[in-house]
Amino acid sequence: MHIVIMGCGRVGSTLAHILEDNGHSVAIIDRDPQAFRRLRAGFRGRRVTGIGFDRDVLEEAGIESAQAYVAVSSGDNSNIISARVARENFGVDNVVARIYDPRRAEVYQRLGIPTVATVRWTADQILRRVLPEGAEPLWRDPTGTVVLAEVTFNPAWIGTAVRQVELTTGARLAFINRMGEALVPKDDTAVQEGDILHVVAAGNEMERVNKVLSGVPDEEN
């Protein structure tokens, strides 16, 4: 894939290196030519000086052949405008914009522009480390409707099949961390001692899911 990144800060330069290491071609845009000093000496991608929503700049970065566009500059407005230009003017379907204001992130998400709400994400990561296990989700979508959470369970659930856990809780068991390795469970996968369960559910259902798993399974089910 060819991927265009706007913003050569810490996030942009890190993404550029990771993508290049995974075999993708990368072009990175920044209005400050000094920003490219964050790129390693062996970086083979294009360095384009300019504004990420300028048509000529985007064309120099190879936007017409890009399969993805990432806007991670320090400005919310610039990120959204450039993401919309990439999608609407150049037909790049796979776009994402970093947004600091979570309220704006929700609005743009509804408009079809995938966003990463930096403040909300950072707050979630901090809360996960200072609050009791299971109190805060690992991830939530920008609208807060869906969450991925690590949950604890009563030992009475050991031996219960995943399909039964899902039927009882109403949540989807996304993956299990078992002895330090991630496992995508099948319907008949049984919960084992020491498992760490990661579930996906509606945000307003997580309190109930935690309550169910902290109790004893209903033998009738």
Side-chain angles (χ1 to χ4, degrees), residues 153-160 191 213-218:
F153 58 90
N154 188 304
W157 288 90
I158 294 173
T160 304
V191 175
L213 288 173
S214 65
V216 176
D218 186 342

Side-chain angles (χ1 to χ4, degrees), residues 45-205:
R46 304 181 202 175
R47 300 168 175 83
V48 181
T49 302
I51 299 172
F53 47 83
D54 181 275
R55 187 181 189 91
D56 292 337
V57 170
L58 287 169
E59 289 178 348
E60 185 180 348
I63 193 68
E64 292 172 318
S65 61
Q67 285 78 46
Y69 182 82
V70 180
V72 288
S73 76
S74 59
D76 284 5
N77 290 337
S78 296
N79 288 340
I80 283 298
I81 292 171
S82 66
R84 294 190 65 179
V85 169
R87 170 172 285 180
E88 297 168 13
N89 291 20
F90 292 96
V92 181
D93 292 327
N94 191 10
V95 303
V96 64
R98 178 174 67 174
I99 301 297
Y100 286 90
D101 185 344
R103 293 169 298 181
R104 285 185 176 182
E106 292 177 13
V107 172
Y108 293 124
Q109 190 82 12
R110 295 191 188 103
L111 292 175
I113 300 293
T115 59
V116 177
T118 306
V119 173
R120 175 72 262 183
W121 183 87
T122 303
D124 283 346
Q125 296 300 303
I126 292 171
L127 288 169
R128 281 186 54 224
R129 287 160 174 77
V130 299
L131 293 179
E133 189 174 21
E136 270 294 308
L138 297 166
W139 171 91
R140 74 173 80 226
D141 79 295
T143 66
T145 305
V146 178
V147 299
L148 168 66
E150 178 183 307
V151 296
T152 57
F153 58 90
N154 188 304
W157 288 90
I158 294 173
T160 304
V162 163
R163 62 173 168 269
Q164 191 59 53
V165 174
E166 293 182 336
L167 283 171
T168 306
T169 62
R172 179 66 57 86
L173 212 168
F175 68 97
I176 298 172
N177 187 306
R178 179 170 290 171
M179 298 181 68
E181 295 187 1
L183 166 70
V184 178
K186 298 180 180 179
D187 284 349
D188 59 354
T189 300
V191 175
Q192 296 183 9
E193 183 178 359
D195 281 353
I196 300 174
L197 308 184
H198 296 81
V199 303
V200 174
N204 57 8
E205 286 290 305

